[in-house]
Each structure stands twice: as C-alpha cells, then as structure tokens.
Amino acid sequence: MDLRPLQNYIAGQWVDAEHSSLLPVENPSTGAIIGQVPLSTSAETHRAIEAAAGAFPGWSRTPVARRAQYLFALLELLRKSEEEIARSITEENGKSLTDARAEVKRLVENCEVACGMPVLQQGAKLIGASDGIDGEVLRLPIGVFGMIAPFNFPGMVPFWFLPYAIAAGNTYVLKPSEQTPLTMQRIARLIAQTNLPPGVFNLVHGDRTVGEALMDHPQVKGLSLVGSTRTCQAVAERCTRNRKRFQAMGGAKNHLVVMPDARVEEVVRNLLSSCFGCAGQRCMAASAIVAVGDATYDAVCQRLIEAARRVIVGNPLDPAVAEEPMLMGPVISAKALAFVHQMIDTGVREGAQLALDGRGVRVAGAEKGHFIGPTIFTGVKPGMAIHSTEIFGPVVVVLRAGSFDEAVSILNGHAYGNGASIYSQNGYWVRRFKLEVECGMIGVNVGIPAPVAHMPFGGMKASQFSQIKAQGRAVIDFFTEPKVITERYWTET
Ligand code: NAD
C-alpha cells in the first residue's frame, strides 16, 4: 500500500501539494488506511488555475477534431483499465464490484459521447434573418472550468463534465472528494499518458478550501458541483456573487410508486438493487416506496422485507462474496454510519414501524467496516423526518397512498426532485406520472431511472440549483458561449 501523500497534477507535472494538512483515506469495508490526501491550499489551487488559463488560448484554437483525438486515446486507456478502476472504486468507496463496474461503464460512455464534439459543438446559421441580414450562433469555448466531486461516484461523476469541457476547447481544474480521491488519481495518470498539452487538465486534491479558491478566482469562468444540497446552496450563492456560471446538483429522496396493477414479483426484484445497491448512497437510490391501495401496500411490504433479508452484507473485495449479485458493502465512514443510526432512532421516535432493522450487522473479518444491513420502515407518513431527510444509507421508508393522486401529491410535496419511478402496466397512469411529477428524471418500471450518457442527467427543486444538466448534448451549453452574430454587407458597386 502506497501511503505517500497523493500528488497534484498541475501544468502537465505531478507535484507535491502545498497543503495545510493530510487526511487519511480509509477503506470503509475494513477501516484500513489506503492513502493520504493533501488538503491543498488556495495558493496551490491558484497555480492550477493559472496553468489552465495559460493553456486556454492554444487549446481553444486547436481544431475540435484534434481535441477529440486525445479523448479517443483516453478511451483506449480507460477500456484497458476498467477492472483496475472498478477495484479502486470499490476499495475506497465500499460499493460492490458489480456497482463499481457499472460506474466505470458509464464513465467510459461519457467519454465516448464527448468524442462526438466535432458534431455536437456545431453552431447554427439562419440565412435571411432580416432583409439582407443573416443570423449565426457560434458555440465558443469560454476558458477555465472547475469541478468539485462527491464521494459516491468518484469516477463517473467527474466524467459527466470533464470530457465535454475539454473537447469543447476549455481547460479544467478538478477537485475529487477528499473521501474518495484515489480513483481520479488513477484516471489522471491515464489522462497524463495521452500527452494532452500541459495545463489543459489539472487535478488538485483537497476540501472546500480548494472549491472556494476555484469559485473566487477571476480566471475561472464556471464551476460544476455535485454534492449535498447544503453544499449546492453555498456554491450557488458564492458563484452568483462572483458572477460565474455554475451547475450544482444536490441531494435526493427518490420515490418509487407501485400501482395496484404492477407485477409485484418483478417490482420487488427490481426495487432491491434500487434501494440497497451502493448501500443506498446513490443520488438515484430509491429511498421511499409509495404503494397505492391497501392490497398493494401489504404485498410490497411483505415481499420487500423478505427479499431484503436475503441481501448479503459483506466486504466487497472478499473473494468469498465479491461476485454475489445482491451484495451490499458499507457506508462511507463512521460519521455517515452514525447519522444513519441517528435517523433510525428518529424514525422509531416518530412512530414509524421498524420492520427490518439493519443495525448490529457484523461482517466476519471486517469488524472495523461501517456496515449496516437493509433497513425498512413501514407505516411512514409524509413529513416524518425519515421521509423528508436524505439519509444516504440503506434505509427505505414505505408509505401508503389511497390513490394515484395522493401518491403524486406525496412526491410533489417533497423538497427534492431528482428521480421518481412508477410501476404500472397502465398507460393512463404512466402518462400522467410523466407529466405531473416534479422530478427531473422519471422511470417507468425501472428502479433507477439514471439516463444513459447521451441524455441529460439532473433533477429539479432542491436536487438541482441550475438549469443546465450534466452529460450528453445538454452539458455542452454549459461549456460554450452561444455568441450570436447578426451580419450584413452592403451591395458592392
Ligand atoms: P458534500 O456536499 O459533502 O461534498 C461534495 C464536494 O463538495 C466535496 O468534494 C467537498 O469537499 C466539497 N465541499 C463541501 N463543502 C463545500 C463548500 N462549502 N464549498 C465548496 N466545496 C465544498 O457531498 P458528498 O457527501 O461528497 O456526496 C453526497 C451527496 O451528493 C448526496 O447528497 C448526494 O445526493 C449528492 N449527489 C447528487 C448527485 C446528483 O446528480 N444530484 C449525484 C451524486 C451525489
């Protein structure tokens, strides 16, 4: 295990970080220390920004097809390293290898989509906007962009932005989560192998100090944050004050509505991975089930509890369980585990029924891991703290609704609006659900309605603090200025 402090990557060089302190990086399954991350200073962050600013003029003038070639080279390296990256994710985050491999696939998919930038970045021209006047929209790169990443998808989430930003001609400074910095470190080594011109991509490790330095620096033109809603609020305020464009994608409480005509057996099989995959630490995790009608409610509760008992809780790198299809690892830290426990106590105090209690799970050989088993509350009422709060652990609340309309009003009354799914074979209810539910991503008989990389990813309400979503064609609007030209020439005589 290499416990030397991670280095930053600035101006094409790996450098020892100027830092205020070092933070241990923990394997949440075993409690073992697997790295040390420097909390870089503002001055160090400024050096990365200045490197990116210095690289911008040359990079933005590089033909887009040539810029995309670097991504093709990166794709090849990523594909060869898929398993290694997945293992790194599992080691520092604790999700199962199955979940980590799926994360890597989506990361690669985003890189593939960004390779289409020569087509995606094309502008538009309107001949004859007025008499003898043409209108034209250019989609121009803007400058230095920053990104602040969360712990739960250490590889994929940065790739919702990074490949698009640089393919569009911008330069970049990325700050991984200080809790899971090792995966991006590994990927940055691959980026370095593509011989991208120095300064186009920079990696700075640290905590909010780095994020704040990015937001305050005049040469940073825009910032993407993915994190908790509280962090989104802080970032939205700071970026607005500093007149920077920003994307801030926040917390969630995703509801799955089960209609009386749903195929309950299939639904429960589908629910299981939505609720307990990644130990509930996905922004698209299903954390609230709304069953419509008493019979549906009873059937869902009974079958979900039975199925959840069969989820294997274990160290995802233990060969004895690593390839189990429904394996659940730990939550990220002792602090996160304590919060989940606190919320379970709250649920009991609020009068919900703790139908399955995951506390007290012991994983042999991994006693220092932050494990908790699947936990299910039934009889939950809208507005209880266990319903209104993002718990970000394997805790599911089940609510009963008397009708479709009541179910929709439970969802729309919630502060978050990231994803929501309906289970039904009936097109009438499904159509209304798609149109009426105030969430950015909707699933129909799909437990995790996370869009593929070609489509926009993002929520509504407290789940997203900006209009432009991540990945696909949508994010290119964030990384380009739609400069509009109105043009006329007088007649030559
Ligand atoms: P977090 O908000 O604690 O941290 C996210 C990042 O922000 C970290 O890199 C952290 O160092 C940095 N940060 C924290 N405070 C900051 C500040 N004041 N200024 C600048 N930077 C700051 O989130 P987390 O615990 O790492 O991630 C989990 C959260 O992310 C959950 O709420 C989850 O729902 C959310 N998430 C949302 C999406 C989405 O698409 N909406 C996707 C993944 C995760």
Side-chain angles (χ1 to χ4, degrees):
M1 193 63 59
D2 186 356
L3 290 183
R4 280 174 301 178
L6 297 181
Q7 288 186 303
N8 290 333
Y9 185 68
I10 297 178
Q13 302 288 327
W14 288 102
V15 294
D16 292 334
E18 180 189 293
H19 59 269
S20 59
S21 57
L22 291 169
L23 212 63
V25 182
E26 191 191 23
N27 174 338
S29 304
T30 61
I33 302 306
I34 52 174
Q36 289 199 83
V37 62
L39 300 186
S40 301
T41 60
S42 304
E44 177 83 347
T45 312
H46 292 168
R47 281 192 277 281
I49 295 167
E50 279 144 28
F56 177 70
W59 182 244
S60 57
R61 282 197 299 266
T62 302
V64 59
R66 208 178 303 153
R67 294 197 301 254
Q69 287 303 322
Y70 291 95
L71 291 186
F72 282 110
L74 178 60
L75 261 182
E76 228 180 290
L77 295 166
L78 285 168
R79 288 199 184 110
K80 281 191 199 135
S81 314
E82 278 190 14
E83 185 62 15
E84 192 193 320
I85 297 170
R87 285 186 174 269
S88 165
I89 292 171
T90 295
E91 190 179 25
E92 66 175 346
N93 170 282
K95 67 178 72 173
S96 70
L97 279 171
T98 307
D99 284 326
R101 287 172 187 142
E103 173 173 353
V104 178
K105 290 263 178 273
R106 188 52 58 81
L107 174 174
V108 168
E109 195 179 284
N110 270 285
C111 200
E112 288 168 353
V113 176
C115 284
M117 199 55 72
V119 175
L120 298 170
Q121 198 175 351
Q122 288 177 18
K125 181 142 192 169
L126 177 64
I127 300 290
S130 185
D131 285 335
I133 293 182
D134 300 332
E136 190 176 14
V137 181
L138 311 178
R139 302 182 84 191
L140 301 176
I142 298 169
V144 179
F145 279 82
M147 201 263 142
I148 306 175
F151 80 82
N152 65 332
F153 282 92
M156 178 191 75
V157 163
F159 272 71
W160 285 349
F161 311 100
L162 165 66
Y164 302 96
I166 61 177
N170 303 289
T171 55
Y172 218 66
V173 181
L174 173 65
K175 186 200 90 65
S177 163
E178 62 274 39
Q179 295 189 92
T180 52
L182 301 174
T183 301
M184 262 324 294
Q185 186 83 0
R186 203 173 283 265
I187 294 173
R189 292 200 185 284
L190 301 181
I191 296 175
Q193 283 178 43
T194 65
N195 293 321
L196 201 62
V200 172
F201 166 75
N202 305 273
L203 180 80
V204 180
H205 290 289
D207 59 9
R208 59 185 286 178
T209 301
V210 174
E212 287 171 356
L214 283 167
M215 288 185 277
D216 290 347
H217 199 289
Q219 282 186 294
V220 174
K221 302 299 179 199
L223 185 111
S224 306
L225 161 84
V226 180
S228 61
T229 289
R230 198 168 69 173
T231 307
C232 283
Q233 182 81 43
V235 163
E237 286 170 9
R238 203 163 185 130
C239 285
T240 305
R241 207 162 47 239
N242 292 337
R243 295 185 32 240
K244 280 188 205 318
R245 55 175 69 195
F246 68 91
Q247 295 171 291
M249 308 173 69
K253 189 87 173 180
N254 303 302
H255 291 69
L256 304 185
V257 173
V258 187
M259 293 298 289
D261 70 313
R263 308 268 172 91
V264 176
E265 287 299 334
E266 275 96 333
V267 169
V268 167
R269 212 171 306 128
N270 195 249
L271 283 183
L272 217 54
S273 120
S274 327
C275 297
F276 303 119
C278 301
Q281 299 172 115
R282 289 187 186 121
C283 68
M284 292 299 276
S287 41
I289 314 294
V290 182
V292 177
D294 290 347
T296 318
Y297 177 83
D298 292 342
V300 167
C301 289
Q302 189 210 330
R303 293 203 168 98
L304 181 61
I305 293 162
E306 274 167 23
R309 286 189 204 282
R310 293 196 292 272
V311 171
I312 295 172
V313 180
N315 172 358
L317 288 177
D318 175 354
V321 292
E323 301 300 334
E324 286 289 343
M326 199 47 238
L327 173 70
M328 196 173 84
V331 294
I332 187 69
S333 63
K335 188 172 164 210
L337 184 62
F339 178 68
V340 175
H341 281 209
Q342 180 195 322
M343 288 309 300
I344 295 174
D345 290 341
T346 303
V348 172
R349 265 201 313 279
E350 287 178 310
Q353 282 91 53
L354 183 53
L356 185 64
D357 185 356
R359 292 174 296 183
V361 149
R362 295 278 170 274
V363 174
E367 285 74 14
K368 293 196 177 141
H370 311 302
F371 294 98
I372 175 163
T375 298
I376 299 174
F377 276 106
T378 56
V380 176
K381 302 274 179 278
M384 283 181 172
I386 51 169
H387 178 237
S388 58
T389 309
E390 180 186 44
I391 301 175
F392 226 50
V395 180
V396 175
V397 300
V398 189
L399 297 89
R400 183 197 313 253
S403 64
F404 172 85
D405 288 302
E406 189 186 341
V408 170
S409 79
I410 292 172
L411 270 64
N412 286 349
H414 205 281
Y416 291 115
N418 214 36
S421 285
I422 182 168
Y423 290 97
S424 173
Q425 300 286 104
N426 181 315
Y428 173 77
W429 300 122
V430 169
R431 182 170 188 273
R432 282 193 53 197
F433 192 84
K434 289 195 275 189
L435 298 182
E436 293 175 27
V437 168
E438 292 163 4
C439 284
M441 294 170 280
I442 299 289
V444 179
N445 298 316
V446 168
I448 313 165
V452 294
H454 318 84
M455 307 193 78
F457 188 113
M460 292 169 68
K461 302 196 285 187
S463 297
Q464 172 138 345
F465 281 59
S466 53
Q467 292 70 43
I468 300 185
K469 298 190 175 185
Q471 72 176 28
R473 191 184 282 271
V475 82
I476 299 165
D477 288 338
F478 184 69
F479 291 121
T480 54
E481 182 64 40
K483 195 179 276 186
V484 185
I485 315 296
T486 302
E487 184 176 25
R488 130 166 106 198
Y489 300 95
W490 284 287
T491 310
E492 286 285 338
T493 52

